[in-house]
Amino acid sequence: MIIEIKVPSPGESITEVEIGSWLVQDGAVVAKDQEIAEVESDKATLTIVASEGGKIAIKAEEGEAVEVGAVVCTIDTSVEAPAAESGQSQSQSTDKEPASNMKDQGSSNENQESRIKDAESSTEHDKVKVTSVAKEMMKEHGLSVDDVINGLKRLGKKEVEAVVNAPQTAAAAIPQKEATRDEERERMSSLRRKLSARLVSVKNETAMLTTFNEIDMSYVMDMRKKYQQKFVDTHGFKVGFMSFFTKAVATAMDFHPMVNAQIDGEEIVMPKFVDVGIAVSTPKGLMVPIVRNAESKTIPAIELEIKELAEKARNKKITVEELTGGTFTITNGGVFGSLLSTPIINPPQSGILGMHNIVERPVAINGQVVIRPMMYVALSYDHRIIDGKDSVGFLVKLKELLENPERLLTGGKDAGELMLGI
């Protein structure tokens, strides 16, 4: 029986995809539910699986654009996969060997190799005298007779010191790369082309500005260090910085809602929810899965969702729905060592937060210079809708929340003020 494998719909707005790569060769015999191809849309890379096992016949080439629902290959289910050759008898007999025999055999082999090395060494250097001082120096610096000898008949302290203190030649210290004029070319993926077009349009169609601040991360770092093991015991995974930032961003939106707003024609749309996009670097390019309703979720729930979405994005299992929407984005260049950057807005959103590397720097606190782990943060925003007051105030509130993490439990307000009702 011949069955047709068609391109599934990645999402409602997508009508065409591109064959990214075939994971099997034409004419190969595949198993049921085996991944056979990767297809790329302008939002994500998805996989096609074989609905039945059999011999595959490919109908679309890599790089070819095909419509959703089009037939990309057929599978002849009358062809079955050949049985794998078995070496059970040999493996079983090997497995049944007593452990003591294997241990004795390994010990015998090691002893034999040692005897061979000793014989070779004695043959080559049986006429070379090595003083006791030289032996100790060679042992200390991990040298052998071969490393030191150079036509000598006697090795002493001076000879070993000469080798130990001799500077390495440039050729030995620095590996030389062979000169070449070759170059490689590869076709940009559909996702990469769409991303390129969006980034250019942002620069041309928005009034983008960036404002900066710095955050003392010692409070969050101390909290993670103090409670990390209990957190792992309770939830089964570690807590990172991104969940703190996501929760803090969602809380800060209560004080500066325009940072969460968007322009729709001649109207300003101000969502009552905060859907935070988390930028994830994947082999196929940048993806931004969405943590929805971050304002109503706890830090453990946010951490788990970020972990699951990132894994799905990197393993090409994420859906278009999980990448669609979002009212604000966070990108963390600090994981790659970035000290400072100006992130680009992800339209139609109006703001994006850039996290950066944590570096110990001297700061003045209460008239004293102390060393603290500091992080620069950057907010890029669309000045058409977000004023300077809101952009700067948003980062100040974010700083307050992360330098006083307990305020994430009180809606961003000081606990003392809540207690006194002021």
Side-chain angles (χ1 to χ4, degrees):
M1 178 179 178
I2 305 296
I3 63 171
E4 297 179 336
I5 304 298
K6 300 180 180 180
V7 178
S9 174
E12 294 181 0
S13 61
I14 301 176
T15 59
E16 186 179 79
V17 298
E18 184 178 292
I19 303 297
S21 62
W22 284 102
L23 305 180
V24 295
Q25 295 182 347
D26 188 22
V29 179
V30 299
K32 183 179 180 180
D33 296 329
Q34 179 180 343
E35 294 183 352
I36 57 177
E38 292 180 349
V39 294
E40 299 175 347
S41 70
D42 57 6
K43 294 183 178 179
T45 299
L46 308 172
T47 56
I48 297 178
V49 299
S51 56
E52 296 291 341
K55 185 177 181 180
I56 190 170
I58 295 175
K59 304 296 183 182
E61 300 295 329
E62 291 186 1
E64 181 179 344
V66 294
E67 294 183 356
V68 171
V71 177
V72 290
C73 67
T74 60
I75 296 178
D76 184 354
T77 59
S78 64
V79 180
E80 297 182 0
E85 294 183 2
S86 175
Q88 289 182 346
S89 58
Q90 182 177 355
S91 62
Q92 288 176 355
S93 62
T94 303
D95 293 339
K96 291 180 181 179
E97 290 184 5
S100 59
N101 292 347
M102 296 179 67
K103 188 179 296 184
D104 293 342
Q105 183 179 357
S107 176
S108 176
N109 291 339
E110 291 177 359
N111 293 335
Q112 184 178 1
E113 291 178 0
S114 177
R115 287 195 298 271
I116 293 173
K117 289 181 179 179
D118 292 343
E120 292 176 349
S121 177
S122 61
T123 301
E124 294 179 5
H125 310 302
D126 54 359
K127 295 183 180 180
V128 178
K129 295 181 179 179
V130 184
T131 66
S132 58
V133 175
K135 287 181 180 179
E136 290 297 321
M137 292 183 65
M138 290 164 63
K139 182 179 179 181
E140 178 183 354
H141 296 282
L143 296 174
S144 66
V145 176
D146 290 326
D147 296 325
V148 183
I149 190 168
N150 185 21
L152 301 175
K153 295 302 181 181
R154 181 181 184 277
L155 293 183
K157 179 179 179 181
K158 292 182 179 180
E159 286 77 11
V160 177
E161 283 181 339
V163 176
V164 172
N165 299 327
Q168 286 187 316
T169 63
I174 304 175
Q176 299 298 312
K177 190 173 183 179
E178 184 180 351
T180 179
R181 303 295 296 171
D182 297 339
E183 61 183 18
E184 294 182 1
R185 287 177 178 265
E186 64 178 26
R187 180 180 173 82
M188 291 178 66
S189 66
S190 177
L191 176 63
R192 179 68 68 180
R193 294 197 301 270
K194 182 65 176 180
L195 178 62
S196 301
R198 286 168 66 89
L199 293 177
V200 173
S201 67
V202 169
K203 299 289 288 185
N204 294 334
E205 297 174 7
T206 64
M208 193 178 78
L209 292 178
T210 305
T211 185
F212 306 92
N213 211 319
E214 61 179 355
I215 298 175
D216 184 350
M217 294 297 295
S218 58
Y219 303 94
V220 174
M221 293 175 71
D222 290 344
M223 181 179 292
R224 288 178 69 238
K225 182 178 180 180
K226 181 178 180 180
Y227 297 110
Q228 186 71 277
Q229 188 56 52
K230 288 185 178 180
F231 188 93
V232 172
D233 295 340
T234 303
H235 301 288
F237 51 90
K238 291 184 177 181
V239 60
F241 294 120
M242 188 63 77
S243 54
F244 281 94
F245 274 84
T246 302
K247 185 63 178 178
V249 160
T251 304
M253 294 299 185
D254 290 338
F255 300 87
H256 303 278
M258 291 303 294
V259 180
N260 197 47
Q262 300 177 5
I263 293 179
D264 183 13
E266 296 183 354
E267 296 180 334
I268 296 176
V269 180
M270 291 177 287
K272 300 299 182 181
F273 52 88
V274 183
D275 290 350
V276 181
I278 308 297
V280 177
S281 177
T282 73
K284 291 292 183 179
L286 186 69
M287 293 186 182
V288 188
I290 311 299
V291 177
R292 304 192 189 279
N293 291 104
E295 78 284 352
S296 62
K297 293 179 178 177
T298 63
I299 285 180
I302 292 173
E303 185 68 38
L304 177 60
E305 190 167 349
I306 291 174
K307 180 177 180 295
E308 292 175 343
L309 288 171
E311 289 178 354
K312 292 173 72 174
R314 295 190 180 101
N315 295 328
K316 295 171 286 190
K317 301 295 184 182
I318 198 160
T319 65
V320 173
E321 287 73 17
E322 291 170 323
L323 296 169
T324 303
T327 60
F328 189 82
T329 296
I330 302 176
T331 179
N332 186 5
V335 296
F336 305 110
S338 172
L339 180 66
L340 193 63
S341 67
T342 55
I344 297 180
I345 299 170
N346 183 22
Q349 299 170 21
S350 300
I352 180 172
L353 178 73
M355 298 167 55
H356 299 94
N357 200 14
I358 299 174
V359 179
E360 288 191 342
R361 287 195 291 271
V363 294
I365 298 179
N366 297 326
Q368 300 290 326
V369 177
V370 296
I371 305 298
R372 291 293 178 88
M374 306 298 293
M375 176 195 287
Y376 289 127
V377 288
L379 175 69
S380 291
Y381 61 99
D382 190 346
H383 207 0
R384 297 178 301 166
I385 184 174
I386 301 174
D387 296 330
K389 178 182 178 181
D390 274 322
S391 63
V392 173
F394 176 82
L395 281 188
V396 170
K397 178 57 66 173
L398 189 72
K399 176 182 174 72
E400 290 177 359
L401 293 170
L402 291 169
E403 290 184 348
N404 303 275
E406 68 279 359
R407 293 191 181 186
L408 295 175
L409 297 174
T410 60
K413 298 179 180 179
D414 182 80
E417 292 179 350
L418 288 177
M419 292 174 61
L420 298 175
I422 56 177

Short mmCIF file of all heavy atoms in Angstrom, two decimals, residues 78-79 85 88 115 121 136 146 182 229 308 310 323 334 381 387 404 420 422:
data_model
loop_
_atom_site.label_atom_id
_atom_site.label_comp_id
_atom_site.label_asym_id
_atom_site.label_seq_id
_atom_site.Cartn_x
_atom_site.Cartn_y
_atom_site.Cartn_z
N SER A 78 4.41 -1.98 1.94
CA SER A 78 4.63 -3.41 1.68
C SER A 78 6.09 -3.81 1.89
O SER A 78 6.41 -5.00 1.98
CB SER A 78 4.21 -3.76 0.25
OG SER A 78 5.03 -3.06 -0.70
N VAL A 79 6.97 -2.81 1.96
CA VAL A 79 8.40 -3.09 2.18
C VAL A 79 8.69 -2.98 3.66
O VAL A 79 8.47 -1.92 4.26
CB VAL A 79 9.28 -2.10 1.38
CG1 VAL A 79 10.76 -2.42 1.62
CG2 VAL A 79 8.94 -2.16 -0.10
N GLU A 85 21.09 -7.65 12.07
CA GLU A 85 21.95 -8.80 12.31
C GLU A 85 22.24 -8.91 13.80
O GLU A 85 22.51 -7.93 14.47
CB GLU A 85 23.26 -8.64 11.55
CG GLU A 85 23.06 -8.68 10.05
CD GLU A 85 24.38 -8.61 9.32
OE1 GLU A 85 25.41 -8.57 10.03
OE2 GLU A 85 24.38 -8.59 8.09
N GLN A 88 24.11 -12.18 19.20
CA GLN A 88 23.78 -12.47 20.59
C GLN A 88 24.67 -13.55 21.17
O GLN A 88 25.09 -13.47 22.31
CB GLN A 88 22.32 -12.91 20.70
CG GLN A 88 21.34 -11.75 20.48
CD GLN A 88 19.91 -12.20 20.65
OE1 GLN A 88 19.64 -13.39 20.68
NE2 GLN A 88 19.01 -11.26 20.75
N ARG A 115 55.96 -4.21 30.82
CA ARG A 115 57.22 -4.91 30.57
C ARG A 115 57.83 -4.50 29.23
O ARG A 115 59.04 -4.35 29.09
CB ARG A 115 56.99 -6.43 30.63
CG ARG A 115 56.77 -6.97 32.02
CD ARG A 115 56.91 -8.48 32.04
NE ARG A 115 55.92 -9.15 31.20
CZ ARG A 115 54.72 -9.52 31.63
NH1 ARG A 115 54.36 -9.28 32.88
NH2 ARG A 115 53.88 -10.13 30.82
N SER A 121 62.78 0.97 27.05
CA SER A 121 63.53 2.02 27.72
C SER A 121 64.94 1.55 28.08
O SER A 121 65.91 2.26 27.88
CB SER A 121 62.77 2.48 28.97
OG SER A 121 63.52 3.44 29.66
N GLU A 136 64.79 13.02 40.60
CA GLU A 136 63.78 13.74 41.38
C GLU A 136 63.24 14.94 40.60
O GLU A 136 62.03 15.21 40.61
CB GLU A 136 64.38 14.20 42.71
CG GLU A 136 64.67 13.07 43.69
CD GLU A 136 63.40 12.36 44.09
OE1 GLU A 136 62.37 13.05 44.27
OE2 GLU A 136 63.42 11.12 44.20
N ASP A 146 63.71 10.57 27.53
CA ASP A 146 63.61 11.01 26.13
C ASP A 146 63.51 12.52 26.01
O ASP A 146 63.97 13.12 25.04
CB ASP A 146 62.39 10.36 25.47
CG ASP A 146 62.59 8.87 25.26
OD1 ASP A 146 63.73 8.46 25.01
OD2 ASP A 146 61.59 8.13 25.37
N ASP A 182 39.84 29.33 0.65
CA ASP A 182 38.55 28.70 0.44
C ASP A 182 37.45 29.44 1.19
O ASP A 182 37.73 30.17 2.15
CB ASP A 182 38.58 27.24 0.90
CG ASP A 182 39.56 26.41 0.11
OD1 ASP A 182 39.89 26.83 -1.02
OD2 ASP A 182 40.00 25.35 0.61
N GLN A 229 19.49 24.27 47.05
CA GLN A 229 19.33 22.84 47.29
C GLN A 229 17.90 22.50 47.71
O GLN A 229 17.32 21.49 47.26
CB GLN A 229 20.32 22.37 48.35
CG GLN A 229 20.36 20.84 48.51
CD GLN A 229 20.67 20.13 47.21
OE1 GLN A 229 21.64 20.44 46.53
NE2 GLN A 229 19.82 19.17 46.84
N GLU A 308 11.21 24.26 29.94
CA GLU A 308 10.53 23.39 28.98
C GLU A 308 10.47 24.02 27.59
O GLU A 308 10.70 23.35 26.57
CB GLU A 308 9.12 23.07 29.47
CG GLU A 308 9.09 22.18 30.72
CD GLU A 308 7.70 21.97 31.26
OE1 GLU A 308 6.78 22.73 30.88
OE2 GLU A 308 7.53 21.04 32.06
N ALA A 310 12.51 26.33 26.31
CA ALA A 310 13.85 26.41 25.74
C ALA A 310 14.28 25.06 25.18
O ALA A 310 14.87 24.98 24.09
CB ALA A 310 14.85 26.90 26.79
N LEU A 323 5.19 30.29 20.00
CA LEU A 323 6.06 31.38 19.57
C LEU A 323 5.29 32.63 19.17
O LEU A 323 5.89 33.66 18.85
CB LEU A 323 6.90 30.93 18.36
CG LEU A 323 7.89 29.78 18.61
CD1 LEU A 323 8.43 29.27 17.28
CD2 LEU A 323 9.04 30.24 19.49
N GLY A 334 24.19 37.99 28.46
CA GLY A 334 25.18 37.71 29.48
C GLY A 334 25.67 36.28 29.46
O GLY A 334 26.80 35.99 29.87
N TYR A 381 13.22 50.76 23.53
CA TYR A 381 11.78 51.04 23.50
C TYR A 381 11.43 51.91 22.30
O TYR A 381 12.27 52.63 21.75
CB TYR A 381 11.34 51.72 24.80
CG TYR A 381 12.01 53.05 25.07
CD1 TYR A 381 11.36 54.26 24.78
CD2 TYR A 381 13.27 53.12 25.63
CE1 TYR A 381 11.96 55.48 25.03
CE2 TYR A 381 13.88 54.33 25.89
CZ TYR A 381 13.22 55.51 25.59
OH TYR A 381 13.83 56.72 25.84
N ASP A 387 7.35 57.17 26.68
CA ASP A 387 8.11 58.38 26.97
C ASP A 387 9.34 58.05 27.82
O ASP A 387 9.44 56.97 28.42
CB ASP A 387 7.24 59.40 27.70
CG ASP A 387 6.09 59.89 26.85
OD1 ASP A 387 6.26 59.92 25.61
OD2 ASP A 387 5.03 60.22 27.41
N ASN A 404 15.71 44.05 46.03
CA ASN A 404 14.88 43.72 47.20
C ASN A 404 13.87 42.66 46.76
O ASN A 404 12.67 42.95 46.61
CB ASN A 404 14.16 44.97 47.72
CG ASN A 404 15.11 46.09 48.08
OD1 ASN A 404 15.66 46.13 49.18
ND2 ASN A 404 15.33 47.00 47.15
N LEU A 420 2.25 49.42 57.66
CA LEU A 420 1.78 50.65 58.27
C LEU A 420 0.60 51.26 57.53
O LEU A 420 0.04 52.27 57.94
CB LEU A 420 2.92 51.67 58.32
CG LEU A 420 4.14 51.25 59.17
CD1 LEU A 420 5.25 52.27 59.04
CD2 LEU A 420 3.73 51.08 60.64
N ILE A 422 0.54 52.74 54.54
CA ILE A 422 0.83 54.04 53.95
C ILE A 422 1.27 53.88 52.49
O ILE A 422 1.52 52.79 52.04
CB ILE A 422 1.93 54.78 54.73
CG1 ILE A 422 3.21 53.91 54.82
CG2 ILE A 422 1.45 55.12 56.12
CD1 ILE A 422 4.35 54.60 55.51
#
